[in-house]
Amino acid sequence: MKHNILKELILFYFKQMLRNAMYWIALLFIPIVLISQILTSVRAPFEYMVYPSVMRGVVIPIQAVMLIVSVFMYRLTSDEAQYRSQVTLPNIMWIQFQRVGAILFTHLFFSVCALILGLLPVVAYFLANQIETWSIYRQLFTHSLIFYLLPLLIAAVWGINTGLLFGKKRVGILVLFLIWVLFGPLNTELFSTFFRQGYNGPNAFFFIGPLQPEVVYYELTGYLSSPALLIKNVLILGFHLAITLFIISRWAIRRNHRAQMTALTILLLSLVAFNASDAMEHDQLVFDRSLDMETKQHYEPSYPYDFSQIDPLLDYEIDDVQLTLEKQRQDEIEVKADYTLTSGTETIAFSLYHPFQVKRIDVNEENVSFRQVGDFIEVEDVMVDVPATLTIHYTIHNTNRFPITRDVTYLPAWLNWYPTKQAHPNSRFGSENFRPVINRTERVPVTLSYPSEQQLMTNLTEHAQGRFTGEQAGVTLLEGFFTNYKIDDTELVIDQSWTPPSSYWPVVEETLHSINAITESEFGLSRSLPDTVVLLSPSLEKFSYLDEEHLLLHVGSNLRLDHDLSEVVRAYMAAVFWSHSRTDSQVQPSRITFDDSMAYWLAVELNLPSPLPPDPFFLKGVLTSKELLVSEKMITEFMGLSHEAQLIFLKEWYHELNGPPEI
């Protein structure tokens, strides 16, 4: 008859763990690290806005705690080999099963307590900075469960299994250390080439931490905490527990007991294998560094599509656009784009961001031939000189720069996320990061139909539930973890992790108004701030886009915006000078250098702290070697002039890039 001693064992191991200084000091190290992270942030000389960064790099001390935990568990169970040889009780297997269960339950209790002690100060820190959105706290606890609690349980099973297998043999400690090195949270840093396939490759089952320990939060997306990662670490824990069951089954004296435990082991392994595919559906691709080079590789100067002769294919006028969106899967949006247009040629071209796949195109409800190459679509058999209806069916896929997940949709107006009339690819050639190119300025009537249960922001006007209309050159569609604030007549859209903008927006707004006044008087550019301003940089962009309805101001700074006004000015240059440009100036190499130089001059003119002089070093990832030499020469000439002469130089430079300004 089985003897249930689980309660007694839990009490026994509770006392054992409580008396072991090495064990509880290791667990208390977690709240100590988190509190020290908070104190470091509070004492920083600048006012930082990325409060979630207090969790950055915490997996590094977790790795150390895992080693101590696994060694403690090894020592706790290492006498079992000798114990097994001396005890021949018929229910020894059941006793060992309860013993392991009691150890893990008690360890779970202490680990949860340690994490709560660490997370409570983090929550208090967030609340003290008026971060009150519930979603960030939910993500914080999910992130902690995935990357802190589950690894601590896995480490305990490592120690238990090693102790049961090797007993007090010295080789046991060596094996345990190798397991810790090979499979601990930092193995993605030690063996980065092995994990280059990212979160959704088969190698993902060999790591339990984030790919980049220092990167755990992105604006709009939030904390790294997808359900797939939770499933993956639970399955890894289940796999190690199956090994534990198999080891315990070898202790059984009776064959039927051994068969039962072996069957349970096989069942657990089957469950792990059956659910493995769910662990490969990680959708927070913004955290996946295996995709970092995709933009640079695609926008090489040797582009797959020859667009040098594209102008004849743009001989058409769009009368209106109707977009019907449906998020059928968590990482895909199916789109039906209906165009009413009049063409002067049978073959026309559109620009669509290349990861988005076209499935079918109809002209007047008749299927026609098309080809999609890079950021371009060529459509054949279009009726000439008469209004035609063109329907494009395509899929918007989740990407690392423009996330599409269950909770997040990031489709800014400067991205060609629906087919547009544009003569250039959507990003500048040779840039390591996405550098938007927008030479579409014609506003056309747009109707957007998108039933969504999430918080949604767009630069169109909602006329009915899920139906939006407007006249735009580009449409913004945002869903995710952001917050709206109303200050005077301006609606501000900020990340869930930011403090209320009342403390910094007035200074930023005054700076932007001053820039608009200067550029109007000196360059003849009439610009004004719209009613909606989006202060998000979901992919750490440093860019901006302006139309009559909204301003997308992607500063990409970790500092509070009123403490980093020079970066605000730099990001705002694209909105002021190029959002309404009808020329090809955006693809000119010197345009980026002009923006840097113009921003520096404005920062000096406005007497802003720490103006950022143009530096060729930051252009190395954007320009080719030949272009860089030209830009270096222009920067040297610009910086050698007086402040007044610099303005004259900038006016001539702008004239060369964009033609005479309209005054």
Side-chain angles (χ1 to χ4, degrees), residues 601-625:
W601 186 89
L602 285 167
V604 174
E605 177 71 11
L606 297 174
N607 198 27
L608 301 181
S610 305
L612 300 174
D615 190 342
F617 175 80
F618 297 107
L619 301 176
K620 290 182 179 179
V622 180
L623 304 177
T624 64
S625 299

Side-chain angles (χ1 to χ4, degrees), residues 87 122 211 281:
V87 179
V122 175
L211 280 175
E281 296 183 357

